[in-house]
Amino acid sequence: MGSLWHGFADMGAVESGGAFVVARGEGAYIWDEGGTRYLDATAGLWFTNVGHGRREIADAVASQLTDIAHYSNFGDLASPVLRDLAERLSGIAPVPGSKIFFTSGGSDGVDTAVKLARRYWNVQGKPGKTIVVGRQKAYHGMHVAGTSLAGIPVNHEGYGEFMPDARTIGWDDAKALLALIEEVGADRIAAFFAEPIIGAGGVYLPPEGYLTEVRQICREHDILFVADEVVTGFGRIGGSWFASSRFDLQPDLMTTAKGLTSGYIPMGAVFIAPHIAEPFFAGGTWFRHGYTYGGHAAAAAAAMANLDIMERENLLDASKNLEALLHKHFAPLAEHPRVAEVRSGLGAVAAVQLADPAEAMPFVKTLRAHGISGRAAGQGALQISPSFVITEEQVADMAAGFAAALG
């Protein structure tokens, strides 16, 4: 019996069936410890946007470690690379002049956004605005606030009540937000959280006009709009740095992680629009919040190198092309009798929804027998979110592997 406790796993099944051990990666491929090669259908966990095995990022991290590995950024402390990264991110932010609060990852970012939204309204003299709203199917990380916000019931089971001030509405109808506002009152709602594309909940694309409509509802009712772009950020939306830029959402807060460093070092960043930051930057008002490893200097070096690669190799254009390629090669699988639907056509993501959700977990192992490393998401969906460096030939091979596994 091994000592490693895996996340999101039936450990009895892992113990009996053994772990799938990934030993190395290069580009769009990974290899297990036995030397077998697989196309990586999920880019790790949505994050390896620039592909595996980038020595440039490793060298940047190693160089930073020899200078200063990390130092707290609490109070007036900072490292040069972190300061430079904040300026660089503010320069590509969907809201010009945004401030950047660094975290250790996406779950940290969501909790940060929840606390900051509530703190902001308190400073504005509206302490009753504490309710935070999420959507069915949504995933917002696994900290207390994110688990409460998320609309995935199985992730709530067995813990009791985390946050009584969290609400969940339908994922695809903007009128559901209006109904909640009418029920509880806008004077009690602090923020509405939305993934532009629902990720771990099954890769659900937003209905036409949905994001624009909920954004406008938030404006009209004095509710902060929080774009959770942990998945869609840094190019995964296809052709833009962020979905908030692609759809002109101008979020009050935006959470990011994953593609910020392409997963080479854990890091997250919350983008904070100037009007939300202003009362805290005016002096005398504290946001008593932060993380020991938030803004880690080596992670910041990884992020800078990652962004260099993204820009130099035009990977935003590549992600837009990948959006079309995934739709072209995977949409035909919807005709298979074991497939209920294929969701694709927006962003460098897709999902093959199996007709029988119970087949999803065993299907992941079947995929490996056909040279594909995949993952189940939501209720019976197979996640597809490869790195942006994947070629059309490799996308075609991946789709062929899915077809072969379907039989």
Side-chain angles (χ1 to χ4, degrees), residues 11 18-19 39 54 65 70 77 116 121 136 138-139 185 191 199 235 243 268 274 285 304 334 347 400:
M11 286 309 301
L39 273 167
R54 292 286 194 159
L65 291 173
H70 180 49
L77 300 170
L116 182 54
W121 287 120
Q136 292 170 350
Y139 178 85
T285 300
M304 292 289 275

Side-chain angles (χ1 to χ4, degrees), residues 204-256:
Y204 287 89
L205 312 183
E208 185 72 27
Y210 173 84
L211 294 172
T212 300
E213 188 173 357
V214 290
R215 180 63 184 101
Q216 187 59 31
I217 289 170
C218 287
R219 282 197 185 96
E220 292 173 354
H221 293 85
D222 213 17
I223 294 167
L224 300 189
F225 180 83
V226 185
D228 184 344
E229 298 223 34
V230 171
V231 167
T232 52
F234 300 100
R236 182 61 64 183
I237 188 58
S240 300
W241 283 111
F242 307 103
S244 294
S245 302
R246 181 167 177 173
F247 298 110
D248 192 28
L249 299 178
Q250 300 179 25
D252 298 298
L253 301 168
M254 182 177 74
T255 59
T256 70

Side-chain angles (χ1 to χ4, degrees), residues 55-407:
R55 183 167 293 278
E56 178 179 343
I57 299 178
D59 289 344
V61 171
S63 177
Q64 181 61 48
L65 291 173
T66 61
D67 291 337
I68 182 76
H70 180 49
Y71 209 82
S72 167
N73 64 358
F74 290 3
D76 63 353
L77 300 170
S79 63
V81 67
L82 188 65
R83 179 191 59 205
D84 293 346
L85 178 60
E87 295 303 323
R88 188 169 185 176
L89 294 181
S90 184
I92 62 172
V95 179
S98 289
K99 305 300 183 182
I100 311 297
F101 192 99
F102 288 102
T103 71
S104 301
S107 293
D108 286 354
V110 170
D111 271 37
T112 298
V114 167
K115 290 175 68 176
L116 182 54
R118 289 177 164 188
R119 182 76 176 102
Y120 170 78
W121 287 120
N122 185 274
V123 170
Q124 296 299 313
K126 299 179 179 181
K129 289 175 75 71
T130 60
I131 293 174
V132 288
V133 183
R135 300 186 291 160
Q136 292 170 350
K137 302 184 187 296
Y139 178 85
H140 296 292
M142 293 310 298
H143 291 350
V144 166
T147 302
S148 300
L149 269 170
I152 304 177
V154 293
N155 287 352
H156 295 231
E157 292 176 0
Y159 300 113
E161 187 176 36
F162 281 141
M163 277 180 56
D165 283 349
R167 299 287 191 277
T168 304
I169 62 173
W171 74 274
D172 59 349
D173 183 4
K175 301 300 186 291
L177 179 56
L178 283 173
L180 180 67
I181 293 169
E182 183 175 345
E183 176 190 343
V184 305
D187 59 342
R188 295 183 58 206
I189 301 176
F192 172 67
F193 283 68
E195 296 172 277
I197 294 175
I198 288 175
V203 190
Y204 287 89
L205 312 183
E208 185 72 27
Y210 173 84
L211 294 172
T212 300
E213 188 173 357
V214 290
R215 180 63 184 101
Q216 187 59 31
I217 289 170
C218 287
R219 282 197 185 96
E220 292 173 354
H221 293 85
D222 213 17
I223 294 167
L224 300 189
F225 180 83
V226 185
D228 184 344
E229 298 223 34
V230 171
V231 167
T232 52
F234 300 100
R236 182 61 64 183
I237 188 58
S240 300
W241 283 111
F242 307 103
S244 294
S245 302
R246 181 167 177 173
F247 298 110
D248 192 28
L249 299 178
Q250 300 179 25
D252 298 298
L253 301 168
M254 182 177 74
T255 59
T256 70
K258 296 187 186 293
L260 172 57
T261 65
S262 280
Y264 279 71
I265 300 283
M267 190 179 218
V270 181
F271 289 60
I272 302 151
H275 65 282
I276 302 299
E278 192 278 331
F280 301 94
F281 277 67
T285 300
W286 287 50
F287 180 43
R288 293 184 180 274
H289 178 79
Y291 302 97
T292 298
Y293 299 118
H296 195 283
M304 292 289 275
N306 177 65
L307 295 174
D308 286 345
I309 293 169
M310 290 280 295
E311 292 175 350
R312 186 178 66 244
E313 299 185 7
N314 299 314
L315 292 185
L316 292 183
D317 291 342
S319 71
K320 181 64 174 174
N321 186 52
L322 183 55
E323 172 181 282
L325 291 178
L326 292 177
H327 186 64
K328 171 185 174 182
H329 290 282
F330 279 90
L333 295 181
E335 301 301 318
H336 195 284
R338 293 176 64 191
V339 176
E341 67 174 349
V342 173
R343 295 185 283 275
S344 61
L346 175 65
V349 297
V352 175
Q353 179 70 47
L354 298 179
D356 181 358
E359 291 187 345
M361 293 301 292
F363 191 83
V364 170
K365 292 189 176 182
T366 304
L367 275 176
R368 291 176 193 157
H370 294 276
I372 311 294
S373 175
R375 176 177 179 264
Q379 296 298 306
L382 284 306
Q383 171 190 331
I384 303 157
S385 56
S387 69
F388 303 161
V389 299
I390 195 169
T391 66
E392 180 166 7
E393 181 181 4
Q394 290 169 331
V395 172
D397 287 346
M398 188 181 295
F402 270 74
L406 287 166

